[in-house]
Amino acid sequence: MRYLSLHNVPINTALLLWIGFMVAGCGGEQADADNSPLLAFGRSAVEAKPPLTAEESLAEQFALYSDSVTWTTEYGEVRSGQSLSHILSPFGVSNATLHHIATEHRDLFDVRRMRQGRDWWLFRSAKDSTARQFVYGIDDREYVVFGLTGEKTARRGRYPSETRRGYVQGEVRGSLYQSLEDAGHTTTLAYAMSGVYAWTIDFSRIQPGDQFRIIYERDWVNEKPAGLPRIVASEFLHRGRNFPAFAFDQGEGLDYFDETGASLRKAFLKAPVSFSRISSRFNKRRFHPVLKKVKAHLGTDYAAPRGTEIVAVGDGVVTKASYTKGNGKYVKIRHNGTYTTQYLHMSRRNVKEGQAVRQGDVIGYVGSTGLATGPHVCFRFWKNGKQVDHLREDFPPSTPIKAEAEASFEEACRVLLAEMAQQETDDGPRLAALDQ
Ligand SMILES: [Zn+2]
């Protein structure tokens, strides 16, 4: 069964066999097999070791290597209002030592930032009960060790972590968040997905019937998931069109690409009209030529002859095609969860509310309706609901897969698609049927 035809790289049975074992069921997270084509995500193996006492294994966990000391350990959680001295003074730790930790090691970890509910461990010598090492669990991944005797050194460390791979497929009912929860997967995947597709799919507009399947990775520390899941590969069927995404690093950090090797991040056009000149820049204190007073100009004006085509600077959906006394005839486009643009003073609009537009589509024509002294388009740009100067924005780059990385990218895609086909369950929705 084929899901997606990568240009000239059909999936074959031999490859499927090569991929290896199949995991039954609608995938939970499983230990990472060695078939990961993804280069960037590190993992560490946990080796089998001879049995240790509880104290020994705890000491080992925090890399407290000492042949000569037999430990006894205390464990607790930081309680409300508890400071380091509240915890350590009862064990005979001197004020001088507490002061040393608080001041000498402040850059490494400021003990005033110890938080209620976090774990701590105290290691004492079994022979004379001297408190030797104090460990504070900073978060799920990291801890800090303070030496309480001798040199009183301190260091930060990380718990061993293991990367597990998960697979989920489903159909959107209500929201993606809800669908993931129903499928028994972490809802933080919805957040990760909206990041991957921020430039392609407006997740506030996904609809019942949209389908998805996702291979993801997550770090596990101390038998608990830590941090956010990372999307390794996904397909999202939105309004009848499949949007694949593959994580790949071509030497510039991890990015997401579609099956043709195009970056999922799309650059906006620099201006909504070609052959124009900027007649007024974004300026929070501008003297308004019509109103004759200082008024913030939260847009960029492009002067152009009446009737010049105005184009959408990016893909999106028209949320307004309307008229006001100030704006004249105008159009507003929502591009994704982050960006919205608006185009004012049109002589004529060319789109309707609710209409989907692609980058470069003609949405209207230059005019001087509303408060305008001459024909121009006032271009306005919102980022996260706030009007910004788009000329000063740093947009993420959208480099496609380079020629030299093409072969390895195609191989990675092929393996990932095969993995998805392997994981696919019979009771789930069929992206394939809609993808021919
Ligand atoms: Zn303007």
Side-chain angles (χ1 to χ4, degrees):
M1 178 179 304
R2 254 175 53 192
Y3 279 80
L4 184 86
S5 22
L6 277 168
H7 48 128
N8 64 42
V9 279
I11 297 159
N12 62 46
T13 317
L15 182 73
L16 289 179
L17 291 172
W18 176 76
I19 292 296
F21 69 95
M22 165 139 174
V23 181
C26 181
E29 292 181 26
Q30 62 239 200
D32 194 5
D34 263 336
N35 60 1
S36 167
L38 195 69
L39 311 169
F41 299 150
R43 53 197 146 170
S44 61
V46 181
E47 292 159 25
K49 295 203 173 66
L52 301 172
T53 66
E55 281 79 11
E56 279 170 346
S57 57
L58 197 57
E60 189 179 277
Q61 177 175 18
F62 297 120
L64 303 177
Y65 299 112
S66 174
D67 294 334
S68 54
V69 181
T70 308
W71 298 113
T72 61
T73 55
E74 308 288 337
Y75 161 79
E77 281 180 12
V78 178
R79 292 198 303 269
S80 171
Q82 218 176 18
S83 70
L84 189 64
S85 67
H86 290 125
I87 295 170
L88 290 182
S89 295
F91 296 103
V93 176
S94 70
N95 284 339
T97 301
L98 292 167
H99 181 73
H100 175 89
I101 291 172
T103 54
E104 296 301 311
H105 301 308
R106 188 180 292 166
D107 290 347
L108 185 77
F109 181 77
D110 187 344
V111 292
R112 290 172 304 183
R113 288 177 48 225
M114 283 174 45
R115 284 189 292 132
Q116 188 185 343
R118 305 277 1 159
D119 301 318
W120 60 261
W121 296 263
L122 179 67
F123 289 78
R124 294 194 289 168
S125 142
K127 203 163 72 192
D128 60 8
S129 292
T130 316
R132 298 282 194 93
Q133 307 272 357
F134 176 73
V135 180
Y136 170 73
I138 298 170
D139 55 31
D140 292 343
R141 292 169 181 274
E142 220 186 346
Y143 57 86
V144 58
V145 182
F146 294 108
L148 306 173
T149 55
E151 299 274 305
K152 299 193 180 85
T153 54
R155 65 182 163 83
R156 287 171 88 126
R158 294 176 82 81
Y159 301 108
S161 83
E162 177 192 5
T163 303
R164 296 185 190 179
R165 216 159 164 98
Y167 173 80
V168 59
Q169 64 180 57
E171 185 168 312
V172 173
R173 286 173 236 103
S175 66
L176 179 58
Y177 185 94
Q178 189 61 50
S179 308
L180 287 165
E181 189 162 61
D182 293 348
H185 285 255
T186 170
T187 50
T188 51
L189 261 180
Y191 183 75
M193 284 287 278
S194 71
V196 168
Y197 288 109
W199 294 79
T200 343
I201 296 170
D202 185 346
F203 273 81
S204 73
R205 294 180 58 84
I206 64 170
Q207 47 195 18
D210 281 359
Q211 297 171 10
F212 58 88
R213 48 189 200 154
I214 307 167
I215 297 173
Y216 64 97
E217 281 186 349
R218 200 167 195 200
D219 290 337
W220 281 63
V221 174
N222 297 329
E223 286 310 307
K224 282 185 294 199
L228 288 171
R230 299 176 294 263
I231 308 292
V232 177
S234 62
E235 289 190 287
F236 200 94
L237 190 80
H238 178 52
R239 297 171 172 235
R241 185 179 154 203
N242 191 10
F243 295 89
F246 301 97
F248 192 78
D249 185 349
Q250 57 175 342
E252 299 170 342
L254 198 71
D255 201 358
Y256 291 91
F257 302 90
D258 70 13
E259 78 285 10
T260 70
S263 171
L264 289 194
R265 289 183 289 192
K266 298 215 173 64
F268 286 120
L269 297 179
K270 294 273 180 286
V273 274
S274 36
F275 309 113
S276 59
R277 67 180 172 87
I278 293 175
S279 52
S280 173
R281 283 195 60 151
F282 187 98
N283 180 353
K284 289 196 165 149
R285 294 189 53 79
R286 177 180 76 155
F287 185 78
H288 197 282
V290 177
L291 297 174
K292 308 281 185 212
K293 62 176 185 184
V294 172
K295 190 172 183 290
H297 182 230
L298 302 178
T300 305
D301 289 346
Y302 292 89
R306 184 185 155 86
T308 304
E309 291 179 343
I310 300 170
V311 300
V313 294
D315 295 359
V317 172
V318 176
T319 54
K320 284 259 186 220
S322 187
Y323 175 88
T324 65
K325 245 174 90 184
N327 293 352
K329 293 178 186 171
Y330 73 99
V331 167
K332 194 169 185 178
I333 297 171
R334 185 186 155 99
H335 299 285
N336 52 45
T338 308
Y339 298 112
T340 298
T341 55
Q342 196 183 34
Y343 314 73
L344 312 184
H345 314 305
M346 291 176 167
S347 58
R348 189 158 66 83
R349 292 177 298 258
N350 199 39
V351 287
K352 289 200 265 303
E353 281 178 19
Q355 188 177 330
V357 292
R358 306 299 294 265
Q359 184 175 69
D361 282 356
V362 176
I363 55 168
Y365 301 90
V366 173
S368 50
T369 55
L371 279 180
T373 47
H376 76 282
V377 53
C378 180
F379 178 60
R380 298 184 169 216
F381 203 99
W382 279 261
K383 182 183 184 182
N384 296 319
K386 198 166 164 279
Q387 281 189 275
V388 296
D389 183 355
H390 77 287
L391 297 173
R392 289 180 186 274
E393 285 296 305
D394 279 328
F395 296 110
S398 60
T399 325
I401 293 289
K402 293 170 186 158
E404 61 266 30
E406 226 167 72
S408 52
F409 173 71
E410 286 185 357
E411 175 61 15
C413 291
R414 190 158 50 185
V415 171
L416 288 167
L417 285 170
E419 185 181 342
M420 280 205 248
Q422 282 263 311
Q423 296 274 9
E424 189 221 0
T425 58
D426 289 335
D427 54 345
R430 324 294 290 189
L431 282 170
L434 296 146
D435 193 36
Q436 299 307 311

